[in-house]
Amino acid sequence: MTKQEVTYQAAGVDTAEGARAVDAIKETVHSTYRPEVVGDIGGFGGLFSIAAAKDMAEPLLVSGTDGVGTKLKVAQLAGKHGTVGIDLVAMCVNDILACGAEPLFFLDYIAIGKLRKEHVAEVVAGIGEGCRQAGCALIGGEMAEHPGVMDPDDYDLSGFTVGVVDKPKMLDPESVSEGDVLIGLASSGLHSNGYSLARKVCVEGKSREELLTPVEALDGQSVADALLTPTRIYVKQVLGTLKACPGAVRALAHITGGGISENLNRALNERVDAQVDLGTWPVPAVAKYVCDAAELSEPQALKTFNMGVGMILIVDPARAEEVEAALAEAGEKTYRVGRIVSGTGEVQYTGEGNLYGYQG
């Protein structure tokens, strides 16, 4: 019996297409480079100089890793892949920003059923855009083809970032005091959290045509476009404010999975509570649309989605206007959403029943 050669390509992995995909993303990668980047993509490791840390009193490296979750399923159903890379970067860099760190570089991991350079280039274009928005360099990554494990059109994303902060300037929940002001920064929508619920009530059973049809309750957007609105990246605005207003910001909370209820408490110490005033900021149409479809109560909505607030700064009350002015100068719309009171590290609410009652 004659044996027949079985190549890697015959088994479902096309290394030549992988090389073409790398060539297709080089321009995107180069567009994110900072002066500290050493070498180019294609090596076994990304190189980055940390010489700038010499000017810090006590430099600390800060790392963060995350993915995009089931928001990717919406992108795959809609056939729109250009923004999920922004989400990937945002979820990582906004996390490390919470301690005041500047993200320096980013690496991604793309697992895909069948590698096609055009598809990968579209996803990586979003990652590059996210890195440019955050001011960090995309210095490497991995594209892994998984035939037999993933469907040909299926893919998953994960990534991580490394940043640096000078320890004496680091934001610290221990510095939060009674009387401090809560300043909220607007989200762009659901960001990248709560999508298992959003898909269940707004996507499942719908055709691509239905997902792409404009909906009046979404201000004329389609369900797909509203759900695929990319996560906001707050890095440059917040870092600029920290530099312009040294010592004014005590702590910061990135409002991700678990909503305000289960993220703002992470920026508190055990001597205080955060008192949040409902109705003091606008809730995006997509958040109300999903919550209405799921018939979520206010408490459940506030512990599932960001409900329009992507980040909350805890600020010295004597300098709140100074911080708001700096954020406005950076292009941010801010909202006074509450205050710090004596307590035990919990989040509480005033104005129950008024979550959707913002008057502008």
Side-chain angles (χ1 to χ4, degrees):
M1 182 178 293
T2 304
K3 290 186 177 181
Q4 184 175 357
E5 181 182 41
V6 180
T7 65
Y8 205 12
Q9 184 173 1
V13 177
D14 189 345
T15 55
E17 184 69 2
R20 288 189 287 269
V22 171
D23 287 338
I25 66 173
K26 278 188 174 180
E27 185 176 343
T28 293
V29 172
H30 292 162
S31 72
T32 71
Y33 278 4
R34 297 166 46 128
E36 300 97 327
V37 175
V38 178
D40 201 355
I41 61 168
F44 290 102
L47 303 176
F48 192 93
S49 171
I50 56 170
K54 293 186 300 183
D55 297 328
M56 294 184 175
E58 193 175 348
L60 298 178
L61 292 178
V62 185
S63 61
T65 186
D66 212 329
V68 182
T70 62
K71 186 173 186 176
L72 293 176
K73 287 298 182 184
V74 181
Q76 290 160 22
L77 286 169
K80 296 187 173 189
H81 312 286
T83 59
V84 289
I86 300 175
D87 293 299
L88 179 64
V89 176
M91 298 306 291
C92 296
V93 298
N94 286 342
D95 270 356
I96 71 166
L97 178 63
C99 69
E102 176 190 2
L104 300 174
F105 59 82
F106 189 87
L107 287 91
D108 62 67
Y109 177 84
I110 303 173
I112 193 165
K114 179 63 178 176
L115 198 153
R116 293 185 291 273
K117 68 180 178 67
E118 297 85 1
H119 189 170
V120 170
E122 187 179 2
V123 173
V124 175
I127 296 173
E129 173 59 23
C131 286
R132 289 190 294 272
Q133 289 184 25
C136 63
L138 178 58
I139 64 169
E142 170 70 3
M143 292 177 288
E145 201 168 11
H146 290 331
V149 176
M150 304 175 75
D151 292 336
D153 292 329
D154 195 13
Y155 65 94
D156 195 13
L157 303 178
S158 60
F160 79 86
T161 189
V162 172
V164 66
V165 64
D166 199 355
K167 188 176 180 180
K169 299 178 181 179
M170 187 171 67
L171 303 181
D172 185 2
E174 280 301 311
S175 66
V176 175
S177 301
E178 185 176 353
D180 287 347
V181 173
L182 304 180
I183 297 178
L185 305 184
S187 71
S188 56
L190 302 189
H191 285 183
S192 295
N193 302 108
Y195 274 79
S196 293
L197 174 58
R199 288 189 306 109
K200 184 174 182 63
V201 297
C202 297
V203 174
E204 283 185 7
K206 291 185 171 63
S207 66
R208 177 177 291 188
E209 182 180 2
E210 289 175 305
L211 292 175
L212 296 175
T213 300
V215 176
E216 184 178 351
L218 292 173
D219 297 331
Q221 280 191 303
S222 67
V223 170
D225 286 342
L227 291 179
L228 289 175
T229 301
T231 306
R232 292 199 61 218
I233 293 174
Y234 301 96
V235 171
K236 292 181 179 179
Q237 307 93 300
V238 171
L239 288 180
T241 298
L242 296 180
K243 184 176 181 180
C245 310
V249 179
R250 316 276 205 202
L252 188 158
H254 180 202
I255 310 304
T256 57
I260 295 172
S261 299
E262 297 182 3
N263 283 286
L264 182 52
N265 60 332
R266 298 164 67 183
L268 305 176
N269 56 60
E270 60 186 14
R271 302 180 301 278
V272 298
D273 283 351
Q275 190 176 76
V276 178
D277 300 327
L278 298 181
T280 55
W281 72 87
V283 175
V286 64
K288 187 174 189 307
Y289 183 81
V290 174
C291 290
D292 285 349
E295 300 184 8
L296 283 189
S297 65
E298 266 190 6
Q300 284 296 322
L302 289 162
K303 64 186 289 188
T304 305
F305 302 110
N306 65 60
M307 299 309 294
V309 180
M311 192 157 278
I312 296 178
L313 285 69
I314 303 177
V315 180
D316 179 346
R319 303 182 65 186
E321 291 185 3
E322 178 189 350
V323 169
E324 289 168 330
L327 287 165
E329 180 69 21
E332 279 295 326
K333 176 68 175 175
T334 62
Y335 303 92
R336 294 272 185 112
V337 300
R339 66 207 59 79
I340 297 297
V341 297
S342 179
T344 58
E346 303 295 327
V347 177
Q348 53 182 266
Y349 296 96
T350 66
E352 285 84 353
N354 201 36
L355 176 60
Y356 302 107
Y358 179 71
Q359 299 299 312

